[in-house]
Every structure is written in C-alpha cells, then in structure tokens.
Amino acid sequence: MPRSRPLPSRARRRPALLAASGLTALVTVLPTAVTADAVAPAALSATGLRTQHLAEALGIDDTTPSLSWRTTARARSAVQSAYRIQAATSLDKLRRGRADLWDSGKVKSAVPEATYAGEKLGSRTRVHWRVMLWSGGSGRDSGWSEAAVFETGLTQQRDWKGADWITHQDWALSERAVTPVVVEVERTTARYVRLDVTELGLPLADTFPGQTWRVQLGEIDVRDSTTGTSGLAKGSAVTASETNTLRKTWEPALAVDGLPNSALQTAAGYASAAHSGPDVSGQPVVLTLDMKSAKTFDEVVLYPRADVLTEDGRVPNFPVDYTVSASDAPDSGFTRIAGVTGQRPPKPYLPAGLPLFAKDFALERKVRSARLYVSGLGIHETTLNGRPVGDAVLEPANTDYRDRVQYATYDVTKQLGKGANTLAVALGNGMSNVVSTADRYRKLYGNISDPKLIARLEITLSDGSVRTVRSGDDWRTTLGATTSSNWYGGEDYDARRAIPHWDEPRGSRAG
C-alpha cells in the first residue's frame, strides 16, 4: 500500500475550449421548497408551477423562460379562460403585491403556460412568481397560487472572469505524441527488415489475476535520418512467426499502417500469441517486413502499445531483447545490423491515473449563501469538504464540445462553514477524450479535449461581503486511483492509489 500523499503539483492553466461560444447552463433542481401563500377556494386553481418544466430551477441561462402550471378544477365545467402572472425579486414583495419584475395583467388564454416577459433579467437573478386564473365568464378569480422560484446562472461569458480552464500537465495529450524507441543502425540499403524478439516485456493481466506475456507494437517505421525520410516501411507486406489476430485491431499489417498511436484509433497494431513467461529465446517471435523495393535507411523505429498500462503505470509488452536484420532477398539470408538487450519500456503516452484537483480556502465568517458554477471535460465529480455537491452523475451532458459545454449550478450554502474549506474535482475522460483501448468495448473514440475543468464559487458571508474562489494554477493536483475511464468501456479503479482525505481541508497536510 503506498503512503497517503498530498496533491503535490499545481494545476496547469489551459485555454478555454469554447472561447467564442462559452458555457451553457445545466439546470439544477433546488433542494428546498419556498414557503407559499394559501390558495383561495375557487372553482379553479393553479398548482404545480414550473419554470422550464422544473419545479424549482437553479442556474437558468434563458432569461425569458417558460412558466407553466397545472389547472385543478373543483367543478367539471371549470376550465381556464385567462391568467395573470406576477414576478418579484423577493417573496416578501410578491406577497405584498409589489411585482417589481413583472405583472402580466389579465391575459385571455386557455393554455396553462406563458413566457416570462418582464424586466430584463441578468446573471444570478432570483425570481419569485405566482399565477391567478379565471374560468369562463364568472368573473371570479382563483386567488393567487403558491409561489415558485427560479434563479438565472452566469448568462454572459464575462461572468466567468478570473476562472481558467485547468488541467494536469500529464493529461495534455493533445500536445504530445507517442514516444517510440529508435534503433540506430549503419546506413543500409535493403528491401527486407526483420525483427527477432527473444525476451518479452512487461506482462498484462489478460486473465486476471494471471499474467500474459506478448509482443505488442503499435507501429514499426523505417527512416533515413540523413535525408529526413520517414515512413519507408508503411504499407509493407508483413510476415509474422505467430500472431494473435483480431480483425482490424491486432493484425501484422497494422504494424505498418502509418498510425503509431493505438490510443486514437481502432487499429492497435501487431500482437503475438500469448506466452507464459518472458523468455522466448528458444523460439523467437519474428516479424519480417517486405518494403517491396530496396530502401536506404539508418533507423528502425518501434512504437509501443499506447492505449493501456501495466498495473504500476508502465508500457506493457514492449520487447526487451531483440535483433534487427536486413536482406535484399530472404533466400540469400539476413545480415544482423543491430542488437538490443535489456531494453527499458519507453515513456507511457497515457498517465497512470485520472486527475484530481483541490483548492483550499478559509472563510472568516459564517456563510449567508453560496453558489458553485462548475464544468469539467470529459466528466466531473465535485465535492466540498469531502461531500458531493449534488446527486447527478456523468456531468456534463454529452454535447458537441467543439460548440457548447454545459455547466452545472449548485446551492452549496449548507456545505460551507467558517474556517477551513476545500473545493475538489475529480475528472474522467467522458465523451471528450475517448481512449481507444483494444481490450475493451469501444463504440467510438477520439480526442476532442484533454481532461480539464473550470469552476467559480461565489460566497456571500454573514456581513454581506462576497468571497470568490476561481479555478486557476494555484489549485493542488495529482493523479488519482481511477486508472482508466471510458464512457462505454467502463472504469478501472486501483484502491492502492487512493489518497485518503484528498478532498478535505486536512488533505493538504496528508503525508
């Protein structure tokens, strides 16, 4: 078991994914009801008031939302013939008839729905509203309904000022490529290149807990550094002494398809048969490339499998001991041009775990109210002082992240207190960064965005002062216990990597 450890590094600031279009609100249901006026006895009454079809909505971007209600009739003949809506900035004003935002007056309509048409609403505006109905031509109104409430979110891009998109530096996948092993050879001209592997690399637990040794390569490239030419082996005819062929995923020909990153496409590369141990010197794994014409080269480049790691976060199944040979014609034999022993696996493309972020802060007074606005790509789980801020999962919703990213709004007043507090976010890949892992189900794949988050916590203290906590490069960050995350293929969680209390104030002092 590893020791508990603090989140050691600082979050890396990232440019906003949607600089032009900005964020779109994900409406969140408020946890508490509003005390309401009594409904006057009448033949018809309005109940079940809704804003945007939600009983009570928090964080609405639409500043002219739909307002609707159910009609409850005490007589079969009673049907709505007209309505009147009042809206105010406080429940007290609404009760006293001071509709400082909107009074629709009596509107003839049988439809139990209207669009807000009052004073222009800005960000963070809390609106209390009620409705009165009329039935037929009796002239008697229903009396006012119980009050409903909604609250607008951050309706302008500038409302996010000071909050940055941040990521863990190891998850800046869009800025780097797979690291290969380059085998330098004497400048050679030949048609055929052969790889003989006599010792296999780190195994995977293909049949947990049993381990399996193989050769797995994402790509084999042949280059000439003198002329700067690469891709000489692309499209070669590949002959393998053994193979674990899975059509369009693991095939000898896929080792020379020009696609070196197995995490970004279904064509993973070449995989040998399974072995019970690393030593295959008695019967080496042999790959022969026919480049179809003589090529001049001085480098043979081996790309590792990039889409999965061993349980300790290293590249699996990369050859340890091997030789490289060349020939003009197989019948005349091969000439050894390089020999490698004790090859260490290259640097992994994927990090060992999904990123965690935390921001510690202190409040000098008790909290009057607090709102958290947050979004994370691909998906985020957000906590305050170790407790979830809501019960939703797999947020944000799956949208075209190139155009629109939804954010969520939470009333976190009761989760904050005077003294030390911690806002924390765990990120998963979601649909914005779908790693193509060859050993699990993949419906689709591709990188639209690296995992990252943006957050803004606005706190009103008991004396009326406002404190704002924003996402930035001063947040703590590390890699967590979730080692793989795929929307369709599921998650892997390594409890040995778990960091106790990382999302609590004392987590900054763990160690």
Side-chain angles (χ1 to χ4, degrees):
M1 295 287 288
R3 294 183 61 201
S4 300
R5 57 196 186 281
L7 307 184
S9 58
R10 294 297 174 186
R12 184 180 182 190
R13 184 174 298 176
R14 297 283 288 151
L17 177 65
L18 307 173
S21 57
L23 292 162
T24 301
L26 174 64
V27 176
T28 303
V29 178
L30 284 168
T32 56
V34 176
T35 304
D37 302 331
V39 178
L44 189 69
S45 62
T47 60
L49 275 61
R50 299 286 188 270
T51 304
Q52 297 289 74
H53 306 288
L54 294 171
E56 299 172 72
L58 183 66
I60 292 177
D61 269 3
D62 189 347
T63 55
T64 57
S66 166
L67 308 178
S68 60
W69 54 90
R70 295 195 304 269
T71 56
T72 301
R74 290 178 173 79
R76 183 171 298 179
S77 60
V79 294
Q80 176 185 315
S81 61
Y83 68 80
R84 179 185 178 187
I85 296 174
Q86 285 187 338
T89 53
S90 73
L91 184 59
D92 180 64
K93 288 181 179 180
L94 190 65
R95 284 172 169 169
R96 291 189 285 117
R98 294 181 57 190
D100 57 342
L101 289 177
W102 186 35
D103 190 328
S104 69
K106 185 176 181 180
V107 179
K108 291 183 178 181
S109 174
V111 179
E113 185 174 10
T115 299
Y116 175 84
E119 296 293 323
K120 183 177 180 180
L121 302 178
S123 298
R124 313 174 183 87
T125 303
R126 194 165 176 82
V127 178
H128 302 261
W129 66 281
R130 60 185 181 179
V131 63
M132 176 186 291
L133 304 179
W134 284 266
S135 174
S138 66
R140 182 184 178 189
D141 63 67
S142 65
W144 289 111
S145 69
E146 294 185 351
V149 63
F150 68 88
E151 185 175 307
T152 57
L154 303 182
T155 61
Q156 302 293 327
Q157 185 72 20
R158 63 175 178 268
D159 295 330
W160 291 88
K161 183 178 180 181
D164 297 313
W165 284 100
I166 59 174
T167 188
H168 190 289
Q169 62 181 1
D170 290 355
W171 276 97
L173 300 181
S174 60
E175 298 178 5
R176 69 172 184 265
V178 176
T179 301
V181 168
V182 179
V183 182
E184 297 180 351
V185 302
E186 290 292 331
R187 199 158 189 253
T188 302
T189 299
R191 173 174 170 172
Y192 297 88
V193 174
R194 193 177 78 189
L195 178 70
D196 291 67
V197 180
T198 54
E199 184 168 345
L200 309 179
L202 301 171
L204 287 175
D206 287 351
T207 54
F208 185 83
Q211 294 183 317
T212 301
W213 283 258
R214 302 178 188 272
V215 174
Q216 289 184 321
L217 294 172
E219 185 76 8
I220 302 174
D221 193 12
V222 176
R223 302 175 181 173
D224 184 12
S225 66
T226 303
T227 61
T229 305
S230 61
L232 296 177
K234 184 178 179 181
S236 295
V238 181
T239 303
S241 62
E242 58 182 66
T243 181
N244 180 44
T245 296
L246 178 62
R247 187 172 177 270
K248 295 185 178 182
T249 300
W250 296 114
E251 299 181 33
L254 298 181
V256 290
D257 60 358
L259 301 173
N261 192 341
S262 64
L264 295 181
Q265 60 265 332
T266 57
Y270 165 74
S272 74
H275 292 264
S276 59
D279 185 2
V280 291
S281 57
Q283 189 174 352
V285 178
V286 181
L287 286 172
T288 305
L289 279 56
D290 178 359
M291 297 185 290
K292 301 179 182 179
S293 64
K295 307 288 176 67
T296 300
F297 59 92
D298 58 12
E299 293 178 347
V300 175
V301 184
L302 305 180
Y303 284 86
R305 179 181 183 181
D307 57 285
V308 72
L309 300 175
T310 62
E311 63 179 22
D312 58 354
R314 293 186 288 171
V315 170
N317 294 328
F318 195 84
V320 174
D321 294 349
Y322 54 94
T323 61
V324 179
S325 304
S327 176
D328 290 324
D331 294 341
S332 61
F334 281 83
T335 301
R336 174 172 163 167
I337 57 176
V340 177
T341 58
Q343 173 69 62
R344 297 175 64 86
K347 179 182 178 181
Y349 171 72
L350 292 177
L354 274 295
L356 306 176
F357 302 85
K359 174 61 178 175
D360 305 302
F361 58 96
L363 299 176
E364 300 78 18
R365 295 175 177 83
K366 292 182 178 180
V367 175
R368 180 187 298 174
S369 66
R371 297 289 185 269
L372 171 63
Y373 307 94
V374 61
S375 185
L377 291 175
I379 54 176
H380 64 91
E381 293 182 354
T382 305
T383 61
L384 260 174
N385 299 324
R387 295 166 49 209
V389 297
D391 59 2
V393 296
L394 300 181
E395 288 189 303
N398 182 19
T399 60
D400 186 340
Y401 302 119
R402 300 174 186 87
D403 298 327
R404 181 165 58 100
V405 177
Q406 291 187 335
Y407 68 91
T409 306
Y410 300 97
D411 181 350
V412 293
T413 306
K414 295 181 179 180
Q415 289 183 247
L416 293 167
K418 181 180 178 180
N421 293 271
T422 298
L423 171 61
V425 180
L427 291 182
N429 283 316
M431 294 295 284
S432 66
N433 181 44
V434 184
V435 176
S436 181
T437 306
D439 298 333
R440 63 179 68 205
Y441 176 70
R442 298 162 294 171
K443 184 174 182 178
L444 45 83
Y445 54 88
N447 177 284
I448 298 174
S449 169
D450 299 330
K452 59 187 176 182
L453 75 94
I454 189 170
R456 184 179 175 93
L457 174 59
E458 299 179 354
I459 308 164
T460 302
L461 300 176
S462 57
D463 64 350
S465 61
V466 176
R467 172 80 183 277
T468 304
V469 177
R470 307 172 182 87
S471 52
D473 56 12
D474 58 342
W475 283 43
R476 295 184 283 124
T477 183
T478 194
L479 302 178
T482 300
T483 57
S484 177
S485 172
N486 188 290
W487 190 278
Y488 288 97
E491 289 192 347
D492 294 342
Y493 183 90
D494 186 346
R496 296 169 300 179
R497 295 179 53 86
I499 307 170
H501 315 299
W502 72 272
D503 56 354
E504 302 175 21
R506 55 179 168 166
S508 62
R509 302 185 297 273

